[in-house]
Amino acid sequence: MAHRTLLRGGDAVVPDGSGFAVRRVDVLLDGGTLRIDPPATVQADEIVDCSGKLIFPGVIDDQVHLRDPGLTHKEDLRTGTAAAAAGGVTTVLEMPNTKPATTTRALWEAKNKIAEEKALVNWGFYMGATPDNLEELQAANPDVTCGIKIFIGSSTGNLLVDAQEALERIFAETTLPLCAHCEDETTVRRNTEAVRQRLGEPPWPIRVHSDIRNEEAAVVSVRRAIDLATRHDHRFHVLHVSTAGELREIAQAGPQITAEVCPHHLLFDTGDYERLGSWVQMNPAIKSVTDRAAMWQALADGETIQVVATDHAPHTREEKEADYPASPSGLPALENSLSLLLTHGPAHGVTVERLAAAMCDAPARVWGLIGKGRLADGYDADVCVVDPHATFTVRHEDQLTKSHWSPWHGEELTGRVLRTFVAGQTVYEDGAVRRKVAGHATAVRCDHARGGYHATPDGIGLA
């Protein structure tokens, strides 16, 4: 018989009409599936007293870079998913810019084999678009491939797709949902040359990163991608929105367009370069205080921003400490994202219920993930238990990511993940990861025909 764990007396964040509500209910992890508010006579192998605790759906992070294969000195699928479990993240969707890049079905399958050996949480892998791999994108298995990633600017190797003809074919002749890194390559190169004319050859002050990757670069590219998606009636997700201008473009788009924001664009602005330097160097770059405020408002109202994702992209400290622009863009965030949002969200009108929608339910709907994203009968037993009142200080040395640093080092957060379950099995508890749990983490199952943020009348998602 499957192991049963009863989470008793907690405040569960559960579906309620067109949104979510916090209700005092028991949650039964019946093997790999959930039962909400089971009979008082139900039998369980373990009963967990959750009084005063939040029972949260397992977080789904739809944009992570776990560096496996080829870049495993920065992160790998074991350390990255350990960090995920510590942050209440039970499903990660991983980007294709590994080494080699995930641009063929054979390379995608090879990455899945690595995950089967290493991953501690559920996983899904995007296929990466190139100017000439259309047939591979068409041949991707739609049952388990979460989507296609396009780098419309800011890429490595052969992943840049900037030519209009190639983009037209990808949007017109593929069926999987598309997402993109949107920064206009022409604008970025022009801005780079302007900085060179002004300051001479590098190294340059880190603050010019936001001059090079400015609002114009983001808006031009997002407008272009929305036009493609609209004309070809293709589901399209805008990754890591960072500017108010992008929000205005997305607000005018049709229902096939969804978008997300990352913690660093909510919590940092260009004034933080002086304090943190390249530790907050990101692509897209951090922007102004005004842009940051617009991100919070969009997340709170849920109309233009549906999803929160981290864009977890670790590099070693030595790499990040190089002079700009030799310093790479990217930062680790997986294990602190939920706590960061629980800490800072209320001041911006972002409630616990809104977080459940943006960090759990919406990514499941955008990518058509079956059985994920909510606490409901029959859904997968992917759950995290959070003490909403517990405080802790983020420290480099405590991070489970292989990079062992955080841009939030020294910050006190409120809302600590106590325990994380994947398919009903504990993978993280009280600061420790269970590294040898067998048979829990699996590749995501997708139903893209039923997916999509606007696909169901109740506005919540998959039944």
Side-chain angles (χ1 to χ4, degrees), residues 286-311:
I286 56 176
K287 300 300 195 300
S288 69
V289 172
T290 300
D291 288 310
R292 187 159 69 89
M295 296 303 108
W296 277 115
Q297 183 58 52
L299 175 59
D301 65 37
E303 294 180 5
T304 49
I305 294 291
Q306 293 81 27
V307 173
V308 171
T310 62
D311 196 10

Side-chain angles (χ1 to χ4, degrees), residues 67-368:
R67 309 302 194 193
D68 207 342
L71 299 167
T72 54
H73 68 286
K74 306 172 189 278
E75 189 78 282
D76 63 43
L77 280 160
R78 175 56 58 92
T79 59
T81 56
V89 178
T90 58
T91 300
V92 291
L93 304 185
E94 211 262 350
M95 289 296 167
N97 54 329
T98 47
K99 191 175 182 179
T102 316
T103 56
T104 69
R105 180 160 181 164
L107 290 168
W108 181 91
E109 289 173 349
K111 189 185 282 192
N112 272 274
K113 290 187 181 299
I114 298 172
E116 289 169 358
E117 295 294 323
K118 291 184 177 182
L120 297 168
V121 303
N122 306 306
W123 71 87
F125 296 130
Y126 295 92
M127 284 283 286
T130 77
D132 55 9
N133 74 334
L134 182 63
E135 290 184 0
E136 291 284 354
L137 302 180
Q138 293 169 329
N141 186 339
D143 296 328
V144 287
T145 305
C146 51
I148 296 168
K149 166 70 178 288
I150 313 173
F151 287 86
I152 309 177
S154 182
S155 70
T156 56
N158 67 339
L159 285 172
L160 174 65
V161 186
D162 191 47
Q164 187 67 21
E165 180 181 358
L167 287 169
E168 294 281 357
R169 293 195 68 191
I170 291 169
F171 276 84
E173 300 178 37
T174 64
T175 57
L176 288 174
L178 298 169
C179 64
H181 180 121
C182 292
E183 287 184 291
D184 182 61
E185 190 72 9
T186 299
T187 303
V188 168
R189 290 176 181 176
R190 185 183 69 235
N191 291 342
T192 301
E193 184 57 31
V195 169
R196 181 175 283 105
Q197 292 296 321
R198 187 169 80 248
L199 299 178
E201 292 302 312
W204 297 323
I206 185 63
R207 64 178 181 273
V208 305
H209 188 64
S210 291
D211 298 330
I212 292 170
R213 296 181 177 276
N214 63 0
E215 181 178 49
E216 180 188 3
V219 171
V220 167
S221 187
V222 163
R223 184 182 299 136
R224 182 186 188 188
I226 289 174
D227 172 68
L228 284 159
T230 301
R231 285 191 289 104
H232 295 292
D233 193 23
H234 203 128
R235 279 171 50 202
F236 178 71
H237 187 64
V238 185
L239 299 169
H240 41 47
V241 176
S242 63
T243 70
E246 290 169 275
L247 294 175
R248 289 190 288 271
E249 297 292 329
I250 295 165
Q252 299 174 44
Q256 73 270 46
I257 309 299
T258 52
E260 71 187 37
V261 68
C262 300
H264 45 270
H265 291 128
L266 293 167
L267 298 171
F268 297 126
D269 57 61
T270 52
D272 290 301
Y273 283 131
E274 183 175 355
R275 178 172 61 94
L276 293 168
S278 60
W279 300 112
V280 290
Q281 178 188 332
M282 286 294 306
N283 297 340
I286 56 176
K287 300 300 195 300
S288 69
V289 172
T290 300
D291 288 310
R292 187 159 69 89
M295 296 303 108
W296 277 115
Q297 183 58 52
L299 175 59
D301 65 37
E303 294 180 5
T304 49
I305 294 291
Q306 293 81 27
V307 173
V308 171
T310 62
D311 196 10
H312 176 85
H315 301 278
T316 68
R317 294 194 200 192
E318 292 76 16
E319 289 168 334
K320 289 294 283 186
E321 288 170 353
D323 291 332
Y324 182 82
S327 51
S329 294
L331 55 81
L334 258 174
E335 59 203 281
N336 297 305
S337 59
L338 179 56
S339 295
L340 285 164
L341 271 293
L342 287 169
T343 300
H344 295 283
H348 299 277
V350 178
T351 63
V352 167
E353 295 89 340
R354 180 75 193 100
L355 287 182
M359 301 185 80
C360 310
D361 186 60
R365 287 185 282 132
V366 168
W367 302 108

